[in-house]
Amino acid sequence: LKRMLRQPNITIIDPSTLHYYQPGFTLIASGVYDKDEVYRNQSDCIPSGTNWIKDSVVAVDPDKGRAYTAKNGFVDYDFLVLAPGLKLNWAGVEGIDPANIGAGDAYCIYTHDGAIKTWQGVQKFVEKGGKGIYTDTYTKHKCGGAPKKICLLTEDLSRKRGTRSKLDFNYYTASHELYDIPFFTPRLLEIYKDRNVKLNCNVRVKGIDTAAKKAYLERVEKIPVQTVGADGKKVSAFKERIEPFTQSYDFMHFLPPMCAPDFVKSSGLSWTEGKLARDGWAMVDKETLVHKKYPNIISLGDVAGIPTSKTSAAIRKQAPIAARNLVDIMEGKAPSQKYDGYAACPIITDYGHVLMCEFDYSKKPKITFPLSLLDMSHEQRVAWLLKVYVLKPMYFYGMLKGLA
């Protein structure tokens, strides 16, 4: 954006001291990366010639064009790029204290500290054996493949260390299927079956008793029902039937529910109806990334209420489109660029192979070169090399500089 503008006047509001490469958290939790390999000082990541306010936004008044901060008053704007990420809703899992992740061998790799502790827990679990429970969550969540990755990496590590027979792996997904991209799902299901990872669908986490090492789960079944509408006609619908049950564990990896930051929801920037409304995702056009109500607001990244996966690969494709469309709007033109929903989820299947899932809004494969020369319906060694050695430097030295 800075390079596109003749006289840029850009203010960045961000409270962080460190800037994390979050896709690396899985590799910390599996012992591939050191804990200090995935971050830089935020000051080194802020583009020169911009104004950085090291603070948090607590509210936005889109009618006035004003953003309110926690410590520095308000900032007026002509145009707003809304990209605050998402909120990990720890309160959505009863019994969990986010300051004490790892207590009772219940782990989560979605924070830097959590990833460090998970690697400690993984090694103990692999050595001692027992029952492992891995879960995702019922909301849209960033890096949807992460719980699958840490499950498969732990299973692979146990085989490498000769302890696999002592471990029982159980994967619970809140979805009705393991993965929703048909081109890649068959191979992923084969892997789970071949490696004896038990799959349980339509199950979500209600709470965890870390002292007793018990997971409180709910099996959610949708029952078709018919109701009568205001016009007297029958309407087909579904109601949920919830069956609670409890599982003991020796190792557990869980995800909290996720949602838009509170200020997005309270500022009237969220969807008000449809599947994306419940968790407050920003109401933007899925192609132009322009806000549906406020055309001087562009939103991208995890907060954007669009029907694709929340991954860094998706943001990499969204950023140049958002920048170009914002300049178009500044110049009084219609947005010229369209985002096709491209996202990529590199599902690590073992130490050395990755099932690189690339797709678009249609949920059809969208394989990029040179991976398009290979059979990407199966895991590949070259995708592992890309994941471990290429994507992190590309992020820090390419994406953050607007070069990749």
Side-chain angles (χ1 to χ4, degrees), residues 126-171:
V126 167
E127 179 183 351
K128 293 186 176 181
K131 182 177 183 178
I133 291 178
Y134 298 78
T135 74
D136 55 22
T137 188
Y138 58 89
T139 63
K140 286 183 73 68
H141 46 284
K142 58 183 175 180
C143 195
K148 301 176 183 68
K149 300 174 195 178
I150 195 62
C151 175
L152 294 175
L153 281 164
T154 305
E155 193 277 339
D156 187 45
L157 184 65
S158 71
R159 285 187 286 122
K160 284 179 165 38
R161 295 191 176 177
T163 61
R164 178 62 179 90
S165 61
K166 299 195 298 182
L167 279 69
D168 177 21
F169 286 87
N170 300 268
Y171 190 87

Side-chain angles (χ1 to χ4, degrees), residues 24-204:
F25 289 176
T26 305
L27 295 173
I28 291 175
S30 53
V32 178
Y33 280 176
D34 180 78
K35 62 183 177 64
D36 296 323
E37 287 187 60
V38 299
Y39 60 81
R40 302 285 188 273
N41 290 323
Q42 184 73 297
S43 58
D44 295 331
C45 299
I46 299 294
S48 61
T50 62
N51 176 35
W52 176 28
I53 300 176
K54 192 173 184 293
D55 203 346
S56 299
V57 173
V58 295
V60 172
D61 187 334
D63 294 310
K64 290 184 177 179
R66 180 170 289 179
Y68 295 87
T69 68
K71 301 175 183 177
N72 290 275
F74 62 83
V75 179
D76 288 330
Y77 65 83
D78 297 306
F79 302 92
L80 176 67
V81 177
L82 183 68
L86 53 68
K87 174 185 175 181
L88 299 174
N89 183 19
W90 297 105
V93 181
E94 297 173 11
I96 287 299
D97 178 1
N100 199 22
I101 294 296
D105 289 305
Y107 301 92
C108 178
I109 62 174
Y110 275 64
T111 66
H112 184 242
D113 184 60
I116 295 169
K117 291 178 177 177
T118 299
W119 174 229
Q120 298 168 355
V122 163
Q123 294 179 91
K124 182 173 71 172
F125 176 50
V126 167
E127 179 183 351
K128 293 186 176 181
K131 182 177 183 178
I133 291 178
Y134 298 78
T135 74
D136 55 22
T137 188
Y138 58 89
T139 63
K140 286 183 73 68
H141 46 284
K142 58 183 175 180
C143 195
K148 301 176 183 68
K149 300 174 195 178
I150 195 62
C151 175
L152 294 175
L153 281 164
T154 305
E155 193 277 339
D156 187 45
L157 184 65
S158 71
R159 285 187 286 122
K160 284 179 165 38
R161 295 191 176 177
T163 61
R164 178 62 179 90
S165 61
K166 299 195 298 182
L167 279 69
D168 177 21
F169 286 87
N170 300 268
Y171 190 87
Y172 292 89
T173 176
S175 176
H176 67 280
E177 57 188 344
L178 178 60
Y179 199 51
D180 64 349
I181 311 298
F183 183 77
F184 305 101
T185 304
R187 178 56 187 152
L188 197 56
L189 286 169
E190 283 182 0
I191 291 171
Y192 271 63
K193 182 179 179 180
D194 292 346
R195 290 160 61 174
N196 195 25
V197 178
K198 302 179 185 69
L199 175 62
N200 302 270
C201 296
N202 299 310
V203 176
R204 62 192 182 196

Side-chain angles (χ1 to χ4, degrees), residues 52 61 66 120 172 219 240 277 295 329 337 350 353 364 370:
W52 176 28
D61 187 334
R66 180 170 289 179
Q120 298 168 355
Y172 292 89
R219 182 171 286 106
E240 290 187 346
I329 293 169
Q337 302 299 304
D350 59 47
H353 295 88
K364 293 180 180 178

